[in-house]
């Protein structure tokens, strides 16, 4: 069974001073989209930070495709196939759209810095291939962004910036994509478009596992195959959206929050 799981955590936890932000969390994801919900401060982002290596867990293990990740850096974990977006925008505002997208391919880069100097045609070939991949990734969401590829990110509307962040996360073909509140700050219509965008990734046939943190339950209900709810760092429910949304502990956690 375990061989089928993309990622598993075993009793994973982290303390910040006296605060147990995540505690003894057993979690697993296979070839599916899991919605991660819970009130503010329940440990959702911290959990993604543990998986992506930004925080080292104080207890437990993170296992990706059978390999323990605890001792790896965020960069090494990215190279192994776990990619993410952040709750707050992490695009480089003073770079162009295409430069931001190309950053998503750095872990695939084959030409070394000296080849870039002494064998420019090889480096240019790689850059041009990268640009094609980036255009391919972004045009799935909105082909018009390709026409603005050389404009500064700061001139691009919020919904398209979100798409660029997601395209940057998937252009290197990760096995596991972590999305932290991708619809935050979007209006109703844009949220609907974002659901469609994420559905396209899910159904792309690339066998990608997705963990999505969302506060908007309509998004969670449409996108998730399964839902996990955290409260005060602990898993309090998991199952289908219907099961979790009717769970008494989940209702209490949201009312109490
Ligand atoms: N680097 C940190 N240092 C201290 N406390 C932190 C840190 N990161 C998160 N926390 C705390 O951990 C708890 C969980 O936070 P977070 O994971 O951001 O919640 P969520 O994403 O569910 O809203 C909160 O109480 C938060 O203040
Ligand atoms: Mg958060």
């Amino acid at each position: 069974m375990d061989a089928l799981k993309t990622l598993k955590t075993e009793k994973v936890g982290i303390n910040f001073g006296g605060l147990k932000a995540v505690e003894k969390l057993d979690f697993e994801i296979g070839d599916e989209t899991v919605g991660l919900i819970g009130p503010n401060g329940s440990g959702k982002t911290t959990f993604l930070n543990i998986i992506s290596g930004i925080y080292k867990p104080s207890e437990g293990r993170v296992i990706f495709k059978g390999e323990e990740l605890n001792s790896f850096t965020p960069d090494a974990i990215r190279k192994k196939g776990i990619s993410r977006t952040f709750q707050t925008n992490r695009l480089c505002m003073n770079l162009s759209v295409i430069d931001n997208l190309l950053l998503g391919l750095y872990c695939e880069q084959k030409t070394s810095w000296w080849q870039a100097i002494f064998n420019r045609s090889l480096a240019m070939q790689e850059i041009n291939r990268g640009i094609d991949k980036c255009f391919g990734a972004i045009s799935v969401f909105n082909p018009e962004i390709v026409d603005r590829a050389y404009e500064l990110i700061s001139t691009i509307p919020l919904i398209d910036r979100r798409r660029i962040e997601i395209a940057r996360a998937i252009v290197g073909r990760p096995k596991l994509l972590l999305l932290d509140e991708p619809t935050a700050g979007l209006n109703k219509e844009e949220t609907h478009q974002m659901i469609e965008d994420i559905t396209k990734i899910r159904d792309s046939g690339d066998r990608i596992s997705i963990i999505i943190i969302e506060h908007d339950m309509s998004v969670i209900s449409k996108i998730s195959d399964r839902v996990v709810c955290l409260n005060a760092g602990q898993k309090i429910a998991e199952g289908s959206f219907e099961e979790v949304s009717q769970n008494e502990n989940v209702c209490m956690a949201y009312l109490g929050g």
Side-chain angles (χ1 to χ4, degrees), residues 45 87 180-181:
T45 298
Q87 201 167 342
D180 197 349
E181 301 206 17

Side-chain angles (χ1 to χ4, degrees), residues 38-46 48-49 84 87 180-181 213:
N40 266 340
S42 56
K44 304 181 296 297
T45 298
T46 303
L48 295 200
N49 284 337
R84 69 176 294 182
Q87 201 167 342
D180 197 349
E181 301 206 17
I213 297 179

Side-chain angles (χ1 to χ4, degrees), residues 62-83:
V62 180
I63 299 155
F64 178 61
K65 297 196 292 180
E67 182 183 23
E68 184 171 317
L69 289 187
N70 291 38
S71 58
F72 289 103
T73 61
D75 192 37
I77 291 172
R78 173 72 185 81
K79 284 182 179 146
K80 286 179 184 294
I82 301 182
S83 186

Side-chain angles (χ1 to χ4, degrees), residues 131-168:
I131 291 173
D132 285 346
K133 279 188 192 172
C134 292
F135 283 170
I138 197 63
S139 46
V140 172
F141 303 138
N142 180 4
E144 287 170 22
I145 301 175
V146 173
D147 300 332
R148 302 187 64 177
Y150 296 94
E151 294 180 31
L152 284 182
I153 278 287
S154 50
T155 66
I156 304 291
L158 180 63
I159 171 95
D160 286 335
R161 283 190 221 161
R162 278 284 152 72
R163 289 169 161 150
I164 291 162
E165 281 193 273
I166 296 176
R168 181 171 71 179

Side-chain angles (χ1 to χ4, degrees), residues 65-216:
K65 297 196 292 180
E67 182 183 23
E68 184 171 317
L69 289 187
N70 291 38
S71 58
F72 289 103
T73 61
D75 192 37
I77 291 172
R78 173 72 185 81
K79 284 182 179 146
K80 286 179 184 294
I82 301 182
S83 186
R84 69 176 294 182
T85 65
F86 291 84
Q87 201 167 342
T88 47
N89 184 297
R90 295 286 174 100
L91 293 169
C92 302
M93 297 308 258
N94 53 353
L95 291 183
S96 67
V97 171
I98 190 65
D99 285 339
N100 270 280
L101 285 166
L102 282 168
L103 289 173
L105 283 173
Y106 82 95
C107 58
E108 285 194 348
Q109 189 183 328
K110 292 192 179 62
T111 14
S112 59
W113 63 267
W114 56 269
Q115 280 175 319
I117 296 169
F118 296 109
N119 190 345
R120 285 190 67 78
S121 69
L122 194 70
M124 283 313 292
Q125 274 173 25
E126 186 170 25
I127 290 174
N128 287 331
R129 269 200 308 275
I131 291 173
D132 285 346
K133 279 188 192 172
C134 292
F135 283 170
I138 197 63
S139 46
V140 172
F141 303 138
N142 180 4
E144 287 170 22
I145 301 175
V146 173
D147 300 332
R148 302 187 64 177
Y150 296 94
E151 294 180 31
L152 284 182
I153 278 287
S154 50
T155 66
I156 304 291
L158 180 63
I159 171 95
D160 286 335
R161 283 190 221 161
R162 278 284 152 72
R163 289 169 161 150
I164 291 162
E165 281 193 273
I166 296 176
R168 181 171 71 179
I170 59 171
V171 72
R173 292 177 163 258
K175 289 283 167 290
L176 174 62
L177 173 66
L178 312 172
L179 299 172
D180 197 349
E181 301 206 17
T183 71
L186 301 183
N187 65 31
K188 221 171 161 199
E189 169 56 27
E190 291 168 333
T191 297
H192 182 73
Q193 290 175 23
M194 185 52 69
I195 292 173
E196 290 194 348
D197 291 343
I198 297 168
T199 308
K200 280 181 198 160
I201 303 172
R202 202 185 66 170
D203 300 340
S204 66
D206 271 351
R207 297 180 72 86
I208 188 167
S209 307
I210 303 175
I211 303 177
I212 175 169
I213 297 179
E214 254 301 333
H215 59 267
D216 185 332

